[in-house]
């Protein structure tokens, strides 16, 4: 039997509010995101969601897949990594694609 899997889309702050109201939602072992950091204005919303929803003490992990740089909108994976670290996460790069559009995957865990 597989553990429960849930999929969400939409604004990070609204999602976090909905999950806070859902008494059946605790914390997650794994959170996957892709192309979610292109707008630096939304970084703190996503970081707060990860802080509130990942299992603590390094037992939960968020995998964040993104372009290395988002030209024209100002986001970068390095900038997001610094913000995660400043908010109490351990972060490591677990994948890099150097050909074509450069992409990376970060693994973030709460300390």
């Amino acid at each position: 039997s597989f553990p429960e899997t849930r999929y969400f889309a939409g604004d990070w702050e609204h999602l976090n509010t909905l999950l806070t109201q859902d008494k059946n939602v605790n914390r997650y072992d794994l959170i996957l995101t892709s192309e979610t950091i292109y707008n630096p204005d939304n970084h703190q919303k996503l970081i707060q969601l990860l802080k509130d929803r990942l299992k603590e003490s390094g037992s939960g992990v968020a995998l964040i897949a993104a372009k290395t740089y988002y030209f024209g909108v100002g986001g970068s994976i390095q900038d997001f990594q610094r913000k995660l670290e400043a908010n109490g996460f351990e972060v490591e790069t677990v994948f890099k694609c150097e050909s074509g559009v450069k992409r990376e995957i970060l693994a973030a865990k709460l300390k």
Side-chain angles (χ1 to χ4, degrees):
S1 161
F2 292 102
E4 180 181 349
T5 302
R6 298 175 75 185
Y7 300 91
F8 301 98
D11 181 76
W12 299 116
E13 188 171 32
H14 180 68
L15 173 59
N16 205 19
T17 300
L18 287 175
L19 292 175
T20 300
Q21 294 170 356
D22 184 347
K23 300 302 179 203
N24 295 319
V25 174
N26 292 309
R27 293 182 174 259
Y28 293 93
D29 298 303
L30 177 65
I31 296 176
L32 304 171
T33 78
S34 179
E35 300 299 328
T36 54
I37 65 163
Y38 57 87
N39 184 346
D41 293 341
N42 291 321
H43 285 182
Q44 199 55 48
K45 292 179 189 179
L46 179 55
I47 289 169
Q48 190 61 51
L49 176 84
L50 297 176
K51 285 176 79 170
D52 292 347
R53 298 294 148 215
L54 268 182
K55 286 190 176 176
E56 296 174 309
S57 302
S59 63
V61 64
L63 295 176
I64 301 113
K67 294 176 186 167
T68 302
Y69 299 102
Y70 289 91
F71 296 101
V73 290
S76 76
I77 203 152
Q78 290 81 12
D79 181 44
F80 191 68
Q81 180 173 352
R82 283 190 295 275
K83 290 176 183 177
L84 283 168
E85 291 167 344
N87 279 272
F89 286 86
E90 289 180 20
V91 184
E92 69 175 307
T93 301
V94 295
F95 176 80
K96 276 190 178 191
C97 176
E98 296 291 337
S99 63
V101 176
K102 293 180 173 37
R103 298 179 181 276
E104 299 178 36
I105 299 176
L106 300 179
K109 297 178 180 183
L110 287 166
K111 293 182 184 177

